[in-house]
Amino acid sequence: MSDRMPKEDIDRVQRRLNQIWEIGKTDSSGVTRLAYTSEENVVFDYLRDELPREFDVWTDSVGNLFATPWPEAENSLYIGSHLDSVINGGRLDGVLGVITALEAIQTLHESSCQPPNPPTLAVFRGEESARFGQHTIGSRTALGMLTVEDFSATDQNDVPLWHAMQQAGFHPENLSEPTIDLDRVTGFLEVHIEQGRVLDESDDDLGVVTNIRAPVRYKITVEGAYDHSGATPMNLRHDALAGASAIILAIQRVGKEADNEGDLVATVGDITAVDGAINKVCGEVSFPLDIRSVNEAFRDQIESRILEEIRMTADQHNLQFEVQEIDRSSPVTMSEEIASQLAHAADSSESGYRFLPSGGGHDTMNFQQAGVPAGLLFVPSVDGVSHSPDEETYDDAVAAAVQTLIRFTLSEIEIANKKFTENKIEGNGGDHAF
Ligand SMILES: [Zn+2]
């Protein structure tokens, strides 16, 4: 089988990655391509021009783009990712998943292959929450998951999402209706950079994702009293900034303890000293709290522990506090069958791989939640760097990812036939257990 395997054109992949890099490129060689801005429109136009003429191409009501050389197929395996970025983000986040998917599909088409589940390229709008505070806008709309409330979210200039969509030339309606025919989608695959350092610190080219960690998020406000820094004795202060610091260290301690018991990360990634100044005791501080795990019950348990620590520490410092929940998402377990098949495909192309959880959310998780078996394949992030101009990966890993997609798409013939003819399940990755 291996000698007849179609071979990807890695120069074509690199050329496309480099050309897309130029769209929204920043002075520090990062990219800024926010959802529903002209930069995002331009990159979608670029991609459309790159598609072979024989492909059937269509765009849905919010600007997601789909393309396949097998439009008549009854069922299809969707493969793709997104093209938007955070502010001054990296050149590979999302784009790599789109370009590797296109390369796999184009290679199969050029080799006159007839995959059992002919793939469709799926390219989503607005995956990053950088502009509207809403993640995976395109894929959630494609799946009928975007709510009217989400749709009304505004950017920092108070432009609502629905208006930005209209300005970009789209007219969405019937939000609860998926824009794709889910009965005809047999599965969804996404290639993405890891955004962490697990793969880079191992010798593996590829990671097969088993679960996606999901966050519960709070805004914490600590209240004390504003006083003059020179005139107020230490024992008479209600110093919100000192108290918030103690709370943040307590959160870190509980998070570290929990990490020894199960999968958990707890982060305070920002802090605001409200009306703070060098000559004041600060009276109000606010900061966000983000707690994630692949295990929701465990996350709930640690969340209670952290909230109790916040209460005790605020008490010790004679401070008031308020906790406001701003997000609560459920972790997603990816399709075990797809993960096994991805591992099998990686293995047969002689790429080293490992199973691992994903710390961040991706378009693929929405498919899994909508009941479409979905998979996520990681390539290493060099030094774990992500959402930064320094984001990089390895050329060998990119080639391995394309080859794995090609083999996954073709190996389904083998697996389906074995299941059918021998009436037992084989070829699902065998001994590759989670
Ligand atoms: Zn991404």
Side-chain angles (χ1 to χ4, degrees), residues 81-82 84 92-95 127-128 190 192-193 195 361-363 387:
S81 191
H82 63 96
D84 64 315
L92 299 172
D93 187 336
V95 176
E127 190 271 349
E128 304 284 3
E190 180 169 9
H192 206 280
I193 51 153
Q195 303 184 282
H362 297 285
D363 290 308
H387 285 177

Side-chain angles (χ1 to χ4, degrees), residues 231-259:
T232 317
M234 298 303 284
N235 64 346
L236 296 180
R237 297 180 178 196
H238 298 275
D239 187 334
L241 190 48
S245 307
I247 289 171
I248 292 167
L249 290 173
I251 291 169
Q252 193 193 36
R253 177 171 48 73
V254 175
K256 280 184 174 171
E257 286 164 8
D259 188 35

